[in-house]
Amino acid sequence: MAEPPGAAAEEAWGKVDAAYGDNGPEPALFMDGARKGSVVSRANSIGSTSASSVPNTDDEDSDYTQEHYKESYKDQRRRAHTQAEQKRRDAIKKGYDDLQAIVPTCQQQDFSIGSQKLSKAIILQKTIDYIQFLHKEKKKQEEEVSTLRKDVMALKIMKVNYEQIVKAHQDNPNEGKDQVSDQVKFNVFQGIMDSLFESFNASISVTSFQELSACVFSWIEEHCKPHTLRDIVIGVLHQVKSQLY
């Protein structure tokens, strides 16, 4: 049967009165309270220690993610640098292989090194020598082309002159009837040569071949100028004309 509420209250007050009555507090009550407080304090301490010892998983996951990202970024940069360096080395090797295939002197066997593979220094030196050779050949060919162009220009001028002569002869077919005889032509040529020989004989020394050569060149430069030859030819023509008429 359930105990009345009044009886429970009286029993509780009875315990309090017994503990704090005239005879003083009951030691057993304090022992029981101390024991309970110690248990509560120890439980709180254990709970606090346990709570502090539990790792913060969110912070550690964040730190791990950052470290992993740093390591991954470093690996990516290292791989990219390695790939770039390998591409550079491959490009250099391909360049040397192309030079060795293009430059003819690199393909010729050098008996001083036998069948060994050509070093990079030898390939570069042979390439430089070949480029210099090509520059010389180019300059030589340019000079030859310039000479040929001058020859072509001279031939074109001669062609135009001959065409004019032919055209003049066709326009005046009777012009050649009063031609000068071969004897007269020879007299003109002989007069020109005699006049040149006079100055030539006066200027030439034959003591040695070297001196003769030097005198010939000097005579040509001095007595074979265009205006000098023109004056000689005009004088000879006047002389021959006076003999004929």
Side-chain angles (χ1 to χ4, degrees):
M1 185 175 181
E3 188 176 354
E10 289 178 0
E11 183 180 356
W13 281 109
K15 289 182 179 181
V16 173
D17 183 55
Y20 294 94
D22 295 335
N23 295 329
E26 182 67 30
L29 181 61
F30 282 101
M31 289 293 293
D32 185 57
R35 188 180 300 112
K36 290 180 179 180
S38 177
V39 171
V40 173
S41 177
R42 187 179 300 170
N44 292 335
S45 176
I46 292 173
S48 176
T49 303
S50 299
S52 63
S53 62
V54 174
N56 192 341
T57 56
D58 293 339
D59 294 341
E60 288 188 356
D61 288 344
S62 178
D63 294 340
Y64 174 76
T65 302
Q66 293 179 359
E67 291 296 329
H68 180 70
Y69 175 76
K70 290 180 180 179
E71 292 296 329
S72 177
Y73 179 69
K74 290 181 179 179
D75 292 340
Q76 290 179 359
R77 289 192 60 185
R78 190 181 298 111
R79 285 196 299 270
H81 178 73
T82 303
Q83 292 175 357
E85 181 66 18
Q86 187 63 38
K87 288 182 179 179
R88 187 182 69 85
R89 293 180 179 179
D90 294 340
I92 293 174
K93 182 178 181 301
K94 185 178 183 300
Y96 280 105
D97 293 340
D98 292 342
L99 285 178
Q100 193 169 357
I102 294 173
V103 178
T105 54
C106 291
Q107 300 174 4
Q108 298 174 358
Q109 184 177 2
D110 192 350
F111 295 99
S112 61
I113 62 175
S115 60
Q116 298 179 0
K117 185 178 180 181
L118 295 179
S119 64
K120 295 180 179 179
I122 294 177
I123 294 175
L124 288 177
Q125 186 60 46
K126 287 181 176 292
T127 303
I128 293 173
D129 295 340
Y130 184 66
I131 291 174
Q132 293 177 351
F133 168 76
L134 290 179
H135 279 298
K136 292 180 180 179
E137 287 295 317
K138 180 182 178 182
K139 186 177 180 181
K140 181 179 178 182
Q141 291 178 0
E142 288 177 350
E143 292 177 353
E144 292 178 354
V145 169
S146 178
T147 302
L148 291 174
R149 286 177 178 173
K150 292 179 180 179
D151 293 341
V152 170
M153 183 62 66
L155 292 174
K156 287 181 178 180
I157 294 173
M158 292 177 62
K159 178 176 179 291
V160 172
N161 292 333
Y162 280 121
E163 288 177 349
Q164 291 177 354
I165 294 173
V166 171
K167 186 176 183 301
H169 180 70
Q170 290 176 352
D171 293 341
N172 300 303
N174 298 325
E175 186 177 358
K177 292 182 179 181
D178 298 331
Q179 290 182 354
V180 179
S181 63
D182 292 339
Q183 183 62 39
V184 174
K185 294 178 182 178
F186 178 76
N187 292 336
V188 172
F189 178 76
Q190 185 178 9
I192 295 173
M193 292 299 104
D194 290 341
S195 179
L196 289 174
F197 181 75
E198 291 177 2
S199 62
F200 179 79
N201 191 30
S203 304
I204 296 301
S205 175
V206 292
T207 55
S208 65
F209 182 79
Q210 290 81 3
E211 188 174 356
L212 175 63
S213 300
C215 292
V216 169
F217 286 110
S218 299
W219 173 79
I220 292 174
E221 292 177 356
E222 183 178 357
H223 296 280
C224 293
K225 295 178 180 179
H227 66 277
T228 304
L229 294 175
R230 183 176 63 252
D231 294 340
I232 292 174
V233 171
I234 291 174
V236 171
L237 290 174
H238 281 296
Q239 184 179 0
V240 172
K241 183 179 179 180
S242 62
Q243 292 175 358
L244 292 175
Y245 304 102

